[in-house]
Amino acid sequence: MSKRQKRKNVRRQSTKSGLAPGTPVFIGERKRETTRIDIIDYDDAALNEFPDTTVEQCTLLAQSETVTWINVIGLHDLGMIELIGKRFNLHPLTIEDLVNTNQRPKAEIFPDYLFIVLKMMSYSETANSVDVEHVSLILGKNYVISFLENEGDVFDTVRARIRSAKGRIRAMPSDYLAYVLMDAVVDHYFLAVERIGDFIEDIDDRLLADPQPDDVQEIHRLKREILVLRKAVWPLREEVGAIEKSESPLIHHETRIFLRDLYDHTIQVIDMVETFRDLLGGMHDTYLSSVSNHMNEIMKVLTIIATIFIPLTFIVGVYGMNFEHMPELKWPWGYYLIWLVMAGVGVGMVLFFKRKKWI
């Protein structure tokens, strides 16, 4: 997200000042023109898909005994979001948070549903940065509603598992579907963190071998990417833990085991993020140290050269004086002797430096 867009989001956040709690105000970047609803309805025996359907169809399917995944793409249509909220008896504060893309990850437990907020992330090779998208999940008795900002998501593998009936997903209740969606989001955290880790390792090797001024900008860019990941992952640990430990009847005993595994995955991501954060924190000092050491090596060579030439310059200066009576001036071998003395002085100083291990 650009700095201009971030400033725009801050201004939109300020428009909520003075409004009653629960008043929905879309805060974020409008990433598509229209809001669309796609449905996948399934059980262990049958599968039905309803692309680009209506809110009425969502309500009818959610009341059946099958598991219904309702995927809402586009958050800017407040009228449709509010209509979905009314049909599924969502709290006004939940509707407010659904359309606020700046909302931090959290989990709220209501009598009839669970409200889960996530940050979906993927590393963009073209933009060379982490793409962040706001994702919200509503877990009900026989349904899961996912709210996305844009068309692309990380749930293609989930759809493929449902369509192919691989594994246990078609035989499990809706809470397992919610877990699978959360797990897909966390799995892409690993991909993003590992990609950033590759850049960190490359820069770390380059700083020790041949540091360049552009490396400082790259370090600051990676610091910002790690900060974005850290803000998304740290609340997720508490979120998953709260869902797993909740006494909500919507979370079955079979699913709690998988939620504990998801909790462990969040801890692993946090450890990776903190490790890379510490590495980046010391890279600026490493860069300065490498540049300083490189400069010291250059100054060392120049100093040795200057030190060797100091006595030679002295000898040349002595015999460059304009005195008439100097004994060696009229000696036939004086010129060659002076060259021999200067060469001996230079070689002797080099041997002395090596003995002292200065070179």
Side-chain angles (χ1 to χ4, degrees), residues 124-176:
S124 174
E125 297 293 343
T126 55
N128 199 23
S129 63
V130 176
D131 290 335
V132 183
E133 186 173 343
H134 183 73
V135 179
S136 300
L137 301 177
I138 301 294
L139 170 61
K141 182 179 179 182
N142 294 316
Y143 64 88
V144 173
I145 310 176
S146 56
F147 294 87
L148 307 176
E149 291 185 72
N150 202 10
E151 183 82 23
D153 55 42
V154 300
F155 301 143
D156 288 339
T157 56
V158 179
R159 296 184 182 94
R161 289 165 59 185
I162 295 174
R163 289 164 182 159
S164 62
K166 290 184 177 180
R168 58 173 59 87
I169 189 168
R170 291 272 290 269
M172 296 292 283
S174 58
D175 59 335
Y176 185 80

Side-chain angles (χ1 to χ4, degrees), residues 31-39 52 70-77 80-81 84 133 145-153 159:
K31 297 185 177 182
R32 55 180 292 114
E33 292 299 324
T34 60
T35 298
R36 197 182 80 225
I37 301 175
D38 296 332
I39 298 178
D52 198 8
I70 303 169
N71 190 35
V72 181
I73 306 172
L75 304 178
H76 59 276
D77 191 343
M80 180 177 289
I81 301 298
I84 294 174
E133 186 173 343
I145 310 176
S146 56
F147 294 87
L148 307 176
E149 291 185 72
N150 202 10
E151 183 82 23
D153 55 42
R159 296 184 182 94

Side-chain angles (χ1 to χ4, degrees), residues 295-305 357-359:
M295 183 62 66
N296 289 339
E297 290 296 324
I298 295 175
M299 294 304 299
K300 179 180 177 181
V301 173
L302 295 177
T303 302
I304 290 174
I305 295 174
K357 297 182 178 180
W358 292 348
I359 58 175

Side-chain angles (χ1 to χ4, degrees), residues 18-57:
L19 297 179
T23 303
V25 177
F26 175 64
I27 299 175
E29 180 184 359
R30 181 169 176 166
K31 297 185 177 182
R32 55 180 292 114
E33 292 299 324
T34 60
T35 298
R36 197 182 80 225
I37 301 175
D38 296 332
I39 298 178
I40 298 180
D41 186 77
Y42 64 89
D43 57 16
D44 57 349
L47 169 68
N48 294 294
E49 297 190 41
F50 304 91
D52 198 8
T53 186
T54 62
V55 178
E56 289 73 15
Q57 184 75 11

Side-chain angles (χ1 to χ4, degrees), residues 109-345:
I109 301 172
F110 294 88
D112 299 329
Y113 66 92
L114 268 66
F115 176 48
I116 303 169
V117 179
L118 303 167
K119 294 298 181 181
M120 183 173 63
M121 294 189 181
S122 59
Y123 196 89
S124 174
E125 297 293 343
T126 55
N128 199 23
S129 63
V130 176
D131 290 335
V132 183
E133 186 173 343
H134 183 73
V135 179
S136 300
L137 301 177
I138 301 294
L139 170 61
K141 182 179 179 182
N142 294 316
Y143 64 88
V144 173
I145 310 176
S146 56
F147 294 87
L148 307 176
E149 291 185 72
N150 202 10
E151 183 82 23
D153 55 42
V154 300
F155 301 143
D156 288 339
T157 56
V158 179
R159 296 184 182 94
R161 289 165 59 185
I162 295 174
R163 289 164 182 159
S164 62
K166 290 184 177 180
R168 58 173 59 87
I169 189 168
R170 291 272 290 269
M172 296 292 283
S174 58
D175 59 335
Y176 185 80
L177 173 61
Y179 151 74
V180 171
L181 296 177
M182 296 175 66
D183 186 61
V185 171
V186 174
D187 285 344
H188 277 73
Y189 286 174
F190 280 104
L191 299 177
V193 173
E194 289 172 357
R195 191 71 183 95
I196 293 177
D198 293 338
F199 284 109
I200 292 176
E201 291 179 1
D202 293 340
I203 293 178
D204 193 34
D205 295 337
R206 194 162 63 242
L207 289 179
L208 297 177
D210 185 22
Q212 300 294 328
D214 293 340
D215 293 336
V216 177
Q217 297 181 357
E218 184 69 9
I219 290 172
H220 285 292
R221 183 188 70 82
L222 292 173
K223 280 184 177 181
R224 290 193 296 268
E225 302 292 351
I226 285 292
L227 182 60
V228 171
L229 283 166
R230 190 172 186 269
K231 288 181 178 180
V233 175
W234 268 97
L236 186 60
R237 178 180 62 173
E238 300 176 1
E239 179 179 2
V240 176
I243 296 173
E244 190 268 325
K245 296 176 182 178
S246 69
E247 299 180 357
S248 173
L250 296 173
I251 305 297
H252 298 81
H253 175 72
E254 296 82 1
T255 306
R256 295 183 188 275
I257 300 175
F258 295 99
L259 288 173
R260 285 198 292 269
D261 182 70
L262 181 61
Y263 182 85
D264 292 338
H265 289 176
T266 60
I267 298 297
Q268 294 178 29
V269 176
I270 290 174
D271 289 341
M272 295 173 65
V273 169
E274 291 301 316
T275 299
F276 291 145
R277 183 168 176 261
D278 293 339
L279 288 175
L280 286 170
M283 275 189 176
H284 192 268
D285 295 336
T286 302
Y287 170 79
L288 295 178
S289 298
S290 297
V291 172
S292 178
N293 291 336
H294 186 62
M295 183 62 66
N296 289 339
E297 290 296 324
I298 295 175
M299 294 304 299
K300 179 180 177 181
V301 173
L302 295 177
T303 302
I304 290 174
I305 295 174
T307 304
I308 292 174
F309 275 89
I310 285 175
L312 306 183
T313 305
F314 172 76
I315 295 173
V316 172
V318 168
Y319 286 95
M321 294 186 296
N322 296 322
F323 290 107
E324 183 176 355
H325 301 288
M326 294 185 69
E328 294 83 0
L329 288 180
K330 295 183 179 181
W331 186 33
W333 299 99
Y335 174 76
Y336 303 102
L337 179 62
I338 290 300
W339 269 111
L340 182 63
V341 171
M342 289 192 298
V345 171

